[in-house]
């Protein structure tokens, strides 16, 4: 056996027999000819054939799969470190993904860092980039930050839970505790109404359900059965043709049902279980009491079919207006995700407050939110009329928040991500270039279905009053459910670079900045 040491734990091995869990090597991704770096999560042997459950290091966990030895490139294997601090548990995967140079799929931790709010300003850039609005902004901001160093910073918040105030690797892993079992997909296939869907992630269905070829789920009450026969028997008794709860919205074939996690506990739990198959970063909740569930359906002559849902805490001390959000895979990439998001903000508008989704967001969730925020804010900006002749329209950050119910951190991060803010002659200016406007119009054309506020029949409840008597209980349970407050702390950066009440001029052309 030829063994060559590359460094202390990189070896060339010529046999699959030496492979153990935690090894990293190139693996052929099913259905492709790509051989990305992967980590072996688990090994099983059936009738003399070994199979390997692998996680592709730079890719989302939903691509994890079982492969055989023919898919393994054993010429270069990276063994886990024996001291236990290495990659043997696989927890270090997200970290690796960040330095990887291949195609980058956002990991949970990256999502958490960039999602929803202003990230900490980078240090001042001393080059020509200063002409760029964001760089000017960053520099200006840095100055302010330096002046205001005394305000409690991220580091001090972080220091409560550990000695090393480093960026967190992954919020998701915190909840999973990298239990090998929960890292692996355990359900092969589900049947839901007329759809057969391959799950993406682990979900804690009862043990007797996991070794089946397929789980049969009633698309109306979400109860699960072992076989089609059992489901057919169930359907004869099950009278539901829509989710339980109140239908609070209907326009054309789209409806929304509001379900109280306390009143419809079994449905809510089954919904969480089903959703877990497609949401990685979510811990499972048997206590659904503190939540409302908003299920979106499409209607046909057989009933109201679930398209997606989001959950929402009855009372959120942190202004979250969405806890978990999911579009069922058969309905993805059709604009339904954005419809769910739009609906969640419509509820916030009815409540008269701003809101933000709970972090971390999934990679797909983050993309949808970013795009929703951008489109919604651009829609407002392009709609602004000048106050007087020869004047440019003006708007403040606070006004954008009030009009959209998008939380200020998300408004600011969106303006920054779109690179819209310029600093010119002592004032911040929102600059809308032709490119931005054209892209926006194109994007809006594809958003054919929209939420129509006139079709929402809903009065927000004051859960604070009615839940006073069991407040302590609620608080305890919601802490278990919310995805680690530490992760949230990362995005709670005070947007002190710009006065929220300061009018921002809106300019339609690229401004020439003369130095
Ligand atoms: Zn049913």
């Amino acid at each position: 056996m030829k063994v060559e040491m590359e460094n202390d734990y990189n070896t060339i091995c010529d046999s699959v027999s030496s492979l153990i869990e935690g090894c990293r090597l190139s693996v052929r991704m099913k259905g492709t000819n790509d051989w990305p770096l992967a980590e072996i999560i688990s090994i099983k042997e059936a009738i003399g054939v070994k199979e390997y459950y692998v996680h592709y290091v730079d890719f989302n966990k939903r691509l994890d799969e079982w492969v055989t030895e023919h898919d393994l490139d054993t010429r270069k294997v990276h063994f886990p470190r024996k001291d236990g601090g290495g990659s043997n548990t696989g927890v270090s995967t997200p970290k690796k993904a960040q330095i990887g140079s291949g195609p980058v799929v956002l990991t949970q931790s990256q999502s958490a860092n960039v999602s929803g709010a202003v990230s900490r300003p980078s240090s001042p850039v001393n080059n020509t980039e200063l002409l760029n609005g964001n760089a000017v902004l960053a520099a200006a901001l840095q100055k302010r930050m330096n002046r205001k160093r005394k305000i409690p910073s991220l580091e001090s918040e972080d220091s409560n839970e550990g000695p090393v105030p480093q960026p967190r690797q992954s919020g998701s892993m915190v909840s999973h505790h990298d239990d090998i079992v929960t890292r692996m997909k355990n359900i092969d296939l589900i049947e839901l109404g007329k759809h057969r869907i391959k799950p993406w992630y682990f979900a804690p269905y009862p043990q007797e359900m996991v070794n089946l070829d397929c789980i049969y789920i009633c698309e109306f009450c979400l109860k699960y059965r072992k076989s089609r026969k059992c489901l057919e028997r169930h359907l004869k008794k099950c009278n539901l043709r829509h989710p339980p709860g109140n239908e609070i919205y209907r326009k054309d074939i789209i409806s929304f049902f509001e379900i109280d996690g306390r009143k419809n506990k079994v449905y809510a739990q089954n919904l969480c279980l089903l959703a877990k198959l497609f949401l990685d970063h979510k811990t499972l909740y048997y206590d659904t009491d503190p939540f409302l569930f908003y299920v979106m359906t499409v209607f046909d002559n057989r009933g109201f079919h679930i398209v997606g849902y989001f959950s929402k805490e009855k009372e959120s001390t942190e202004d979250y207006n969405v806890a978990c959000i999911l579009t069922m895979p058969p309905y993805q990439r059709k604009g339904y995700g954005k419809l769910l998001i739009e609906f969640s903000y419509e509820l916030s508008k009815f409540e008269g407050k701003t809101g933000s989704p709970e972090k971390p967001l999934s990679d797909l969730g983050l993309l949808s939110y970013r795009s929703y925020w951008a489109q919604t804010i651009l829609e407002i900006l392009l709609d602004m009329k000048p106050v007087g002749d020869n004047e440019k329209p003006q708007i403040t950050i606070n006004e954008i928040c009030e009009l959209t119910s998008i939380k200020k951190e998300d408004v600011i991060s969106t303006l920054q991500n779109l690179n819209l803010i310029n600093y010119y002659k002592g004032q911040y200016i929102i600059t809308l270039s032709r490119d931005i406007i054209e892209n926006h119009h194109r994007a809006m054309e594809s958003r054919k279905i929209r939420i129509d506020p006139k079709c929402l029949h809903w009065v927000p409840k004051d859960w604070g009053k009615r839940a006073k008597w069991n407040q302590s209980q609620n608080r305890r349970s919601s802490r278990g459910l919310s995805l680690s407050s530490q992760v949230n702390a990362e995005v709670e950066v005070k947007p002190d670079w710009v006065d929220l009440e300061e009018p921002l001029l809106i300019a339609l052309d690229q401004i020439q900045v003369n130095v």
Side-chain angles (χ1 to χ4, degrees):
M1 178 171 161
K2 194 180 93 184
V3 176
E4 258 177 49
M5 301 300 283
E6 255 197 25
N7 56 35
D8 53 346
Y9 48 90
N10 245 8
T11 30
I12 304 267
C13 79
D14 60 359
S15 148
V16 288
S17 59
S18 57
L19 292 175
I20 52 170
E21 284 158 12
C23 280
R24 288 178 171 215
L25 68 171
S26 289
V27 177
R28 179 165 55 205
M29 201 181 253
K30 258 187 198 154
T32 74
N33 233 338
D34 298 334
W35 293 79
L37 181 66
E39 179 178 328
I40 298 177
I41 306 293
S42 182
I43 302 174
K44 70 175 178 189
E45 193 167 345
I47 333 164
V49 181
K50 267 192 179 169
E51 284 193 78
Y52 304 81
Y53 192 82
V54 297
H55 166 67
Y56 299 102
V57 172
D58 280 335
F59 295 84
N60 188 283
K61 244 167 77 180
R62 77 177 75 93
L63 297 174
D64 293 5
E65 60 189 351
W66 287 101
V67 298
T68 61
E69 65 178 83
H70 305 291
D71 302 309
L72 305 176
D73 179 357
T74 52
R75 284 172 301 175
K76 192 171 167 193
V77 178
H78 187 121
F79 280 87
R81 271 190 264 196
K82 296 225 165 56
D83 58 17
S87 58
N88 54 343
T89 59
V91 202
S92 59
T93 294
K95 196 164 63 190
K96 265 277 148 92
Q98 286 177 8
I99 26 178
S101 56
V104 177
V105 174
L106 280 179
T107 64
Q108 299 293 346
S109 59
Q110 285 168 312
S111 310
N113 289 342
V114 289
S115 67
V118 203
S119 53
R120 220 132 55 99
S122 48
S123 22
V125 198
N126 297 320
N127 58 26
T128 48
E129 278 218 42
L130 271 175
L131 280 183
N132 168 292
N134 270 353
V136 176
L137 242 176
L141 173 54
Q142 189 65 39
K143 268 189 207 152
R144 286 202 197 196
M145 293 290 278
N146 290 346
R147 268 188 275 131
K148 296 186 177 177
R149 259 289 111 105
K150 276 175 216 139
I151 57 163
S153 65
L154 278 177
E155 282 86 345
S156 61
E157 279 178 51
D158 266 358
S159 62
N160 296 336
E161 25 93 24
V164 197
Q166 277 178 345
R168 213 164 315 284
Q169 285 184 16
S170 162
S172 60
M173 295 304 177
V174 175
S175 46
H176 284 172
H177 281 294
D178 64 280
D179 175 356
I180 293 279
V181 174
T182 65
R183 290 194 71 198
M184 291 165 53
K185 285 174 222 181
N186 56 340
I187 311 287
D188 277 344
L189 195 65
I190 62 162
E191 191 177 289
L192 180 71
K194 59 177 180 182
H195 305 286
R196 294 200 132 204
I197 314 168
K198 267 200 157 315
W200 294 355
Y201 306 110
F202 169 89
Y205 278 92
Q207 198 50 42
E208 67 265 25
M209 307 301 290
V210 301
N211 289 322
L212 307 169
D213 294 336
C214 181
I215 296 183
Y216 297 82
I217 300 175
C218 171
E219 60 170 329
F220 301 115
C221 72
L222 305 184
K223 285 183 178 147
Y224 42 85
R225 292 292 180 267
K226 282 181 184 175
S227 67
R228 179 167 288 125
K229 252 213 174 85
C230 293
L231 182 69
E232 278 163 9
R233 258 203 311 274
H234 165 83
L235 287 174
K236 276 187 195 133
K237 290 179 291 177
C238 180
N239 296 320
L240 276 184
R241 286 299 171 267
H242 56 76
N246 296 325
E247 187 183 9
I248 57 170
Y249 178 96
R250 184 189 293 190
K251 185 173 190 188
D252 303 326
I253 58 164
I254 302 284
S255 292
F256 275 87
F257 291 80
E258 184 186 60
I259 294 123
D260 185 326
R262 189 179 63 81
K263 288 185 192 155
N264 288 290
K265 207 184 272 270
V266 175
Y267 179 87
Q269 285 174 345
N270 283 333
L271 178 59
C272 284
L273 205 49
L274 172 63
K276 179 65 197 71
L277 292 170
F278 307 101
L279 293 171
D280 177 25
H281 55 284
K282 184 176 157 168
T283 38
L284 205 64
Y285 329 129
Y286 291 102
D287 183 8
T288 55
D289 289 19
F291 291 87
L292 293 168
F293 296 81
Y294 295 92
V295 175
M296 179 166 72
T297 61
V298 289
F299 176 77
D300 68 12
N301 56 7
R302 292 181 301 116
F304 295 77
H305 310 278
I306 179 169
V307 167
Y309 89 105
F310 64 89
S311 55
K312 175 174 178 168
E313 275 179 284
K314 290 172 182 170
E315 287 179 277
S316 169
T317 47
E318 284 155 287
D319 291 336
Y320 293 130
N321 62 357
V322 162
C324 285
I325 182 163
L326 173 74
T327 307
M328 298 303 294
Y331 295 96
Q332 287 175 1
R333 297 174 166 273
K334 295 187 166 88
Y336 290 114
K338 228 165 255 163
L339 212 55
L340 283 169
I341 297 175
E342 192 177 359
F343 191 80
S344 72
Y345 281 105
E346 211 52 58
L347 295 184
S348 294
K349 286 184 200 168
F350 271 56
E351 292 172 322
K353 38 186 180 186
T354 61
S356 185
E358 198 171 305
K359 308 338 174 263
L361 288 163
S362 67
D363 55 344
L364 298 177
L366 178 66
L367 289 177
S368 295
Y369 265 99
R370 282 208 160 160
S371 150
Y372 174 81
W373 290 328
Q375 292 175 4
T376 308
I377 293 170
L378 284 171
E379 216 172 19
I380 299 278
L381 295 179
L382 289 168
D383 226 32
M384 294 300 295
K385 301 282 178 292
V387 230
D389 293 338
N390 296 327
E391 285 201 12
K392 290 189 164 53
Q394 297 187 2
I395 195 164
T396 66
I397 302 277
N398 271 348
E399 283 165 345
I400 299 178
C401 298
E402 277 165 30
L403 288 166
T404 60
S405 274
I406 300 174
K407 211 179 176 187
K408 59 181 185 289
E409 285 84 350
D410 300 331
V411 170
I412 292 165
S413 75
T414 304
L415 293 174
Q416 282 186 321
N417 287 335
L418 290 174
N419 218 352
L420 293 187
I421 305 281
N422 278 278
Y423 189 69
Y424 182 64
K425 293 194 176 166
Q427 184 167 20
Y428 291 107
I429 296 174
I430 296 175
T431 311
L432 303 173
S433 67
R434 195 160 298 149
D435 271 2
I436 288 269
I437 296 173
E438 278 171 14
N439 285 339
H440 173 67
H441 287 315
R442 220 170 299 136
M444 294 313 283
E445 270 166 35
S446 67
R447 252 176 90 180
K448 294 211 176 67
I449 351 167
R450 297 290 297 267
I451 294 297
D452 182 350
K454 291 194 293 295
C455 301
L456 174 59
H457 302 284
W458 183 70
V459 184
K461 287 192 188 95
D462 184 357
W463 295 98
K465 267 187 201 150
R466 62 179 59 208
K468 281 269 150 59
W469 59 275
N470 66 348
Q471 204 173 36
S472 58
Q473 188 197 340
N474 267 1
R475 201 173 300 139
R476 203 180 316 128
S477 48
S478 70
R479 194 180 305 145
L481 301 169
S482 88
L483 298 153
S484 100
S485 55
Q486 298 94 343
V487 175
N488 301 329
E490 272 181 38
V491 292
E492 292 284 329
V493 183
K494 251 194 154 175
D496 59 349
W497 54 266
V498 64
D499 186 342
L500 297 173
E501 299 286 0
E502 184 179 305
L504 296 161
L505 291 183
I506 303 171
L508 287 181
D509 292 303
Q510 196 69 51
I511 293 173
Q512 297 299 316
V513 182
N514 303 310
V515 195

